[in-house]
Amino acid sequence: DIIVDQLYVITIYDSDDVQIKNNKFYDNRPSYYRYAIKYQSSSRNANISYNEFYKNESGGNSSSDALVNLEGNENENIIERNIFYDNDITAIYLQYNYGLSISNNTLDHNNYGVYMHGWNYGSMINNSITHNNDYGIRSTSDFSIRNNNSWNNGSNYAGSLQTGVGNLTNIN
């Protein structure tokens, strides 16, 4: 178990080729909780995959309080095959990232599903984003979005969202 009070669980700055795989983050209820994984500041080639996040709560109320938070990164960062469910916090928060791939994740019953702020470039493919309290996908970016299921969220998608080849299934 990872129990945290007033700190980040995993924080990575200016590092390349980091892999965070096969972990469980659950039942974290600190008084001030910001991130489970924070990866930022020109870091490259991160692979965040096969992790499970469930029953975590946020100590704050900002959309940038997120289980996975990537800010200011470049080149081939991957978020894939993770499961986020029953969390009172944003699942994935992105700000100013280049070359990001988000694929084959399940995001169910969280605060926000995927929240993109500022400029981000990359693709979001084959994700299941359902039953989140606020947005399933929120974007202010030109991100390639294709073959995702986003349904029964507070709002399935919002912002300057451009879809790529394939469908963004939108059911309420």
Side-chain angles (χ1 to χ4, degrees), residues 30-50:
S31 59
Y32 180 78
Y33 185 78
R34 303 285 295 190
Y35 317 104
I37 299 170
K38 183 171 179 75
Y39 194 72
Q40 76 173 43
S41 190
S42 299
S43 298
R44 298 181 178 132
N45 303 319
N47 186 330
I48 301 169
S49 58
Y50 299 98

Side-chain angles (χ1 to χ4, degrees), residues 3-86:
I3 306 297
V4 179
D5 192 9
Q6 299 183 2
L7 28 114
Y8 305 132
V9 178
I10 298 173
T11 305
I12 301 159
Y13 293 95
D14 294 319
S15 299
D16 296 340
D17 304 310
V18 174
Q19 294 188 22
I20 302 172
K21 294 183 172 183
N22 300 311
N23 298 289
K24 290 185 178 185
F25 299 85
Y26 63 94
D27 287 333
N28 290 298
R29 291 181 178 86
S31 59
Y32 180 78
Y33 185 78
R34 303 285 295 190
Y35 317 104
I37 299 170
K38 183 171 179 75
Y39 194 72
Q40 76 173 43
S41 190
S42 299
S43 298
R44 298 181 178 132
N45 303 319
N47 186 330
I48 301 169
S49 58
Y50 299 98
N51 298 293
E52 188 175 2
F53 303 84
Y54 59 96
K55 298 197 181 294
N56 296 289
E57 295 180 7
S58 172
N61 60 2
S62 171
S63 59
S64 64
D65 293 345
L67 293 165
V68 174
N69 180 302
L70 274 70
E71 296 184 31
N73 297 295
E74 349 177 314
N75 298 329
E76 308 310 317
N77 293 307
I78 297 169
I79 302 172
E80 68 178 3
R81 300 187 189 283
N82 297 288
I83 300 171
F84 302 84
Y85 64 96
D86 292 337

Side-chain angles (χ1 to χ4, degrees), residues 113-114 129-132 134-138 149-158 161 168-172:
V114 178
I129 305 166
T130 58
H131 301 101
N132 295 289
D134 249 312
Y135 297 105
I137 303 170
R138 184 197 176 277
N149 288 313
S150 181
W151 49 271
N152 286 343
N153 298 291
S155 176
N156 288 320
Y157 59 91
L161 198 64
L168 173 68
T169 303
N170 177 15
I171 303 169
N172 261 339

Side-chain angles (χ1 to χ4, degrees), residues 90-146:
T90 300
I92 300 172
Y93 178 86
L94 309 169
Q95 183 173 349
Y96 306 116
N97 293 284
Y98 177 79
L100 180 62
S101 173
I102 303 170
S103 64
N104 301 305
N105 296 287
T106 300
L107 297 85
D108 185 60
H109 286 97
N110 302 292
N111 188 19
Y112 288 90
V114 178
Y115 192 104
M116 294 181 230
H117 180 73
W119 178 84
N120 290 282
Y121 174 78
S123 64
M124 184 183 305
I125 304 168
N126 296 329
N127 297 284
S128 177
I129 305 166
T130 58
H131 301 101
N132 295 289
N133 295 333
D134 249 312
Y135 297 105
I137 303 170
R138 184 197 176 277
S139 177
T140 58
S141 304
D142 183 15
F143 217 74
S144 175
I145 310 289
R146 60 184 191 260

